Amino acid sequence: MKITYYGHSCFGITTKTSSLLFDPFIRPNELAKKIEVDKIPCDYMLISHGHEDHVADALEIAKRTNSRIVSNFEIVSWFEKQGINQIHPMNIGGEWNFDFGSVRMVNAVHSSVLPDGTYGGNPGGFLLNIEGKQIYYAGDTALHMDMKLIAELWKPDIAFLPIGDNFTMGINDARIASDFIDCNEIIGMHYDTFPYIVIDREKAIQTFKKSNKKLTLINIGDSINF
Ligand code: NI
Ligand code: MN
């Protein structure tokens, strides 16, 4: 499968059958100016929580692509009120088999409110099983002990972890999180977008390297094969 980075916490995953898009925040992101939002493919849009920096372009992309929005009950209901009828409500601990693979919603320690002040339910992350690969998309979260459950129940081959600090885990906590989930292949997210979350990229990569782990920081607009 192919992973494309659209900046901040927004990634596309292209599987054999579907295009998945996570937490779209592109038009307001100064670092993602070259991304052509109206060309992003999307069959399923997975949203971790309601904050603006995770939903900014969701409505526009969902309307253009007629994609299905997968998120917690409160967030999909908010989109439904705005005319999106392809929705799939979930909540923490639940799992569902989609045509591209399975999705389980897991705990995140953070907050969640939608841009207009509507209650956004509990923040979450996603564990996906696609084409025999297990993928953990952490969303916005602190380091927390429930991550150890992920290693017990699953075995992520790759994990998308926030590393920007201030609003989420920073580099050191993300490195510990990678131990908790027993995963050596990490994709960094939620860094550099705002002054509060600017990181030292080389220091971040070295922090993981010292633990024999690989942190990949994909350039915005680039893709990697996985
Ligand atoms: Ni957030
Ligand atoms: Mn955020």
Side-chain angles (χ1 to χ4, degrees), residues 49 51 53-54 110-111 140 190:
H49 66 294
H51 288 157
D53 60 320
H54 298 260
H110 192 65
S111 57
D140 279 9
H190 214 273

Side-chain angles (χ1 to χ4, degrees), residues 8-9 23 25 48-49 51-54 110-111 139-141 162 167-168 190 194 197:
H8 201 49
S9 293
D23 285 11
F25 174 75
S48 64
H49 66 294
H51 288 157
E52 169 77 12
D53 60 320
H54 298 260
H110 192 65
S111 57
D140 279 9
T141 185
F167 299 113
T168 66
H190 214 273
F194 315 114
I197 60 174

Side-chain angles (χ1 to χ4, degrees), residues 114-128:
L114 288 149
D116 64 359
T118 302
Y119 173 60
N122 287 314
F126 299 103
L127 275 166
L128 303 102

Side-chain angles (χ1 to χ4, degrees), residues 15-191:
T15 74
K16 286 197 183 88
T17 59
S18 312
S19 294
L20 280 59
L21 185 70
F22 295 78
D23 285 11
F25 174 75
I26 302 154
R27 290 204 190 278
N29 184 355
E30 288 293 323
L31 304 180
K33 284 271 176 263
K34 66 176 178 185
I35 301 294
E36 294 176 280
V37 176
D38 50 9
K39 292 199 176 139
I40 295 174
C42 181
D43 300 307
Y44 293 92
M45 189 183 297
L46 285 80
I47 296 178
S48 64
H49 66 294
H51 288 157
E52 169 77 12
D53 60 320
H54 298 260
V55 302
D57 304 301
L59 196 60
E60 179 193 329
I61 296 172
K63 281 188 172 163
R64 172 179 57 83
T65 57
N66 200 28
S67 49
R68 188 172 297 277
I69 295 186
V70 180
S71 189
N72 70 26
F73 178 79
E74 291 81 359
I75 289 172
V76 299
S77 301
W78 187 72
F79 282 108
E80 199 176 19
K81 284 199 191 96
Q82 296 175 80
I84 302 296
N85 47 33
Q86 292 245 73
I87 50 163
H88 185 103
M90 296 187 75
N91 216 326
I92 314 272
E95 191 169 326
W96 186 260
N97 290 317
F98 293 87
D99 54 6
F100 61 84
S102 68
V103 178
R104 176 188 282 224
M105 208 164 179
V106 295
N107 195 23
V109 174
H110 192 65
S111 57
S112 177
V113 66
L114 288 149
D116 64 359
T118 302
Y119 173 60
N122 287 314
F126 299 103
L127 275 166
L128 303 102
N129 203 327
I130 303 172
E131 295 164 12
K133 293 256 166 67
Q134 299 195 352
I135 300 160
Y136 174 43
Y137 179 89
D140 279 9
T141 185
L143 177 65
H144 61 77
M145 295 299 279
D146 282 4
M147 288 175 180
K148 291 194 173 186
L149 266 178
I150 292 172
E152 203 160 299
L153 300 171
W154 293 55
K155 175 78 183 76
D157 296 291
I158 196 165
F160 297 77
L161 300 180
I163 56 171
D165 221 328
N166 191 74
F167 299 113
T168 66
M169 296 190 283
I171 294 156
N172 291 325
D173 282 5
R175 208 275 304 153
I176 297 166
S178 72
D179 284 343
F180 282 8
I181 61 174
D182 193 17
C183 182
N184 295 331
E185 194 77 38
I186 307 301
I187 308 274
M189 62 180 185
H190 214 273
Y191 64 92

